[in-house]
């Protein structure tokens, strides 16, 4: 089909490939040293690259979707939250009107979500194309949120329930990250889990699990997933009411 041959450009629009990402990918095809230059110059526009005809491949180029997505993730990771928000809104307005309405009703909140993990030396690379953003942001909107991952079977449901209940009772959005984590460690120790990883590694048989496991209980309850952006930052953006509601709702479902 035309799509299989890569000539149906509507496919790229529907999926939400950003032009900047495609530009980056094409540059990696045109000159063999572009990727090395990009690593050394992460914030410069591609137009500053010293293009050379001599660096072009004489054997032609093969299109690689996996490589394209890898380039897209790197490129989107270095965009600002405002740039991503504007681009996603423009895409959603045409291809996912309900999602556009969700984003558009509170731009400040949406941009706060998209700002998590950005502007750091090693920004997160969760998003490659705009059609992936809805799934990525779903944990931040109650109408999109659902629990994807289960709690591992080896952990006592009573422990999980108690960890969720205790953290909900103690959580404050005013806590800095150190106080926040100290609360998790105290709950961990109270439940018979190792509050420090080094303690667990020294004598794993002395504990039911470790602080990473208890953090995972909270993560699944709040985000619905075992893997998510920084949990402290996620909770700050979600707000105390939503965080506590999810923790208590999950606790009530555990027998």
């Amino acid at each position: 089909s035309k799509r299989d041959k890569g000539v149906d450009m509507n496919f790229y629009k529907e999926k939400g490939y950003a032009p900047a990402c495609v530009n980056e990918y094409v540059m990696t095809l045109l000159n063999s040293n572009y990727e090395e230059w990009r690593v050394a110059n992460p914030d410069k526009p591609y137009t500053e690259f010293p293009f050379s005809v001599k660096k072009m491949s004489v054997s032609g180029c093969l299109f690689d979707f996996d490589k394209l997505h890898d380039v897209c993730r790197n490129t989107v990771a270095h965009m600002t939250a405002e740039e991503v928000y504007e681009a996603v809104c423009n895409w959603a307005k045409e291809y996912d009107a309900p999602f556009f309405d969700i984003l558009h009703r509170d731009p400040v909140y949406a941009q706060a979500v998209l700002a998590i993990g950005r502007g750091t030396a090693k920004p997160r690379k969760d998003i490659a194309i705009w059609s992936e953003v809805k799934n990525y942001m779903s944990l931040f909107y109650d109408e999109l949120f659902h629990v994807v991952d289960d709690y591992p079977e080896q952990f006592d449901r009573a422990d999980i329930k108690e960890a969720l209940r205790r953290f909900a009772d103690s959580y404050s959005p005013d806590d800095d990250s150190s106080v926040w984590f100290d609360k998790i460690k105290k709950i961990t120790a109270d439940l018979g889990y190792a509050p420090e990883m080094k303690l667990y590694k020294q004598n794993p048989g002395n504990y039911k699990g470790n602080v990473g496991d208890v953090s995972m209980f909270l993560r699944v309850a709040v985000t619905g997933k075992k893997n998510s952006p920084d949990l402290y930052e996620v909770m700050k953006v979600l707000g105390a009411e939503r965080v506590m509601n999810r923790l208590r709702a999950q606790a009530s479902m555990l027998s």
Side-chain angles (χ1 to χ4, degrees):
S1 69
K2 288 184 178 180
R3 180 168 296 180
D4 292 336
K5 294 177 181 177
V7 296
D8 185 354
M9 298 308 295
N10 285 329
F11 169 77
Y12 296 93
K13 287 187 63 180
E14 291 170 7
K15 290 295 183 181
Y17 287 89
C21 297
V22 178
N23 285 342
E24 283 288 308
Y25 176 68
V26 170
M27 290 301 294
T28 68
L29 299 180
L30 291 178
N31 263 199
S32 59
N33 62 327
Y34 181 76
E35 290 180 77
E36 181 180 349
W37 177 87
R38 173 52 75 203
V39 170
N41 302 277
D43 299 319
K44 288 186 177 181
Y46 74 93
T47 51
E48 292 189 20
F49 171 70
F51 177 81
S52 173
V53 174
K54 295 179 180 180
K55 294 289 185 179
M56 295 183 71
S57 173
V58 296
S59 60
C61 305
L62 294 175
F63 190 88
D64 184 340
F65 261 110
D66 290 336
K67 179 64 177 294
L68 171 60
H69 276 230
D70 184 57
V71 170
C72 288
R73 292 188 192 284
N74 281 310
T75 303
V76 172
H78 286 89
M79 293 180 178
T80 65
E82 292 80 3
E83 288 172 333
V84 175
Y85 174 76
E86 182 177 355
V88 174
C89 281
N90 288 336
W91 173 84
K93 193 171 186 178
E94 183 173 358
Y95 295 105
D96 191 341
F99 185 44
F100 171 79
D101 291 339
I102 290 172
L103 293 172
H104 192 63
R105 76 186 180 207
D106 192 343
V108 174
Y109 179 74
Q111 289 179 43
V113 171
L114 293 168
I116 295 174
R118 292 186 183 276
T120 66
K122 294 183 178 180
R124 292 185 61 87
K125 300 176 181 179
D126 302 279
I127 301 167
I129 54 181
W130 307 142
S131 54
E132 295 177 340
V133 176
K134 184 176 184 178
N135 181 61
Y136 171 71
M137 296 182 74
S138 62
L139 73 92
F140 294 94
Y141 295 95
D142 291 337
E143 62 265 58
L144 301 177
F145 173 72
H146 61 283
V147 176
V148 175
D149 293 326
D150 294 325
Y151 302 103
E153 290 295 328
Q154 71 264 33
F155 297 109
D156 191 324
R157 270 26 190 183
D159 286 347
I160 300 173
K161 181 175 183 176
E162 186 64 9
L164 301 186
R165 186 192 66 77
R166 290 193 185 194
F167 189 80
D169 289 344
S170 67
Y171 178 67
S172 170
D174 297 325
D175 291 341
D176 63 23
S177 58
S178 295
V179 173
W180 175 85
F181 194 52
D182 283 344
K183 288 181 177 180
I184 295 176
K185 290 196 292 185
K186 184 180 186 308
I187 293 168
T188 298
D190 289 346
L191 292 176
Y193 292 67
E196 303 284 349
M197 287 302 299
K198 64 182 179 181
L199 295 176
Y200 182 74
K201 290 178 180 179
Q202 290 168 357
N203 296 289
N206 292 348
Y207 303 99
K208 299 178 183 178
N210 57 66
V211 67
D213 298 321
V214 174
S215 296
M216 179 267 293
F217 303 160
L218 302 177
R219 188 182 301 277
V220 171
V222 173
T223 74
K225 302 173 183 178
K226 293 178 184 176
N227 296 301
S228 75
D230 183 86
L231 186 57
Y232 173 76
E233 295 296 333
V234 167
M235 288 186 179
K236 292 282 284 186
V237 173
L238 283 170
E241 182 178 0
R242 189 178 282 115
V243 168
M244 291 187 288
N245 286 343
R246 290 185 183 180
L247 290 169
R248 288 167 178 157
Q250 280 292 295
S252 68
M253 294 173 63
L254 292 168
S255 57

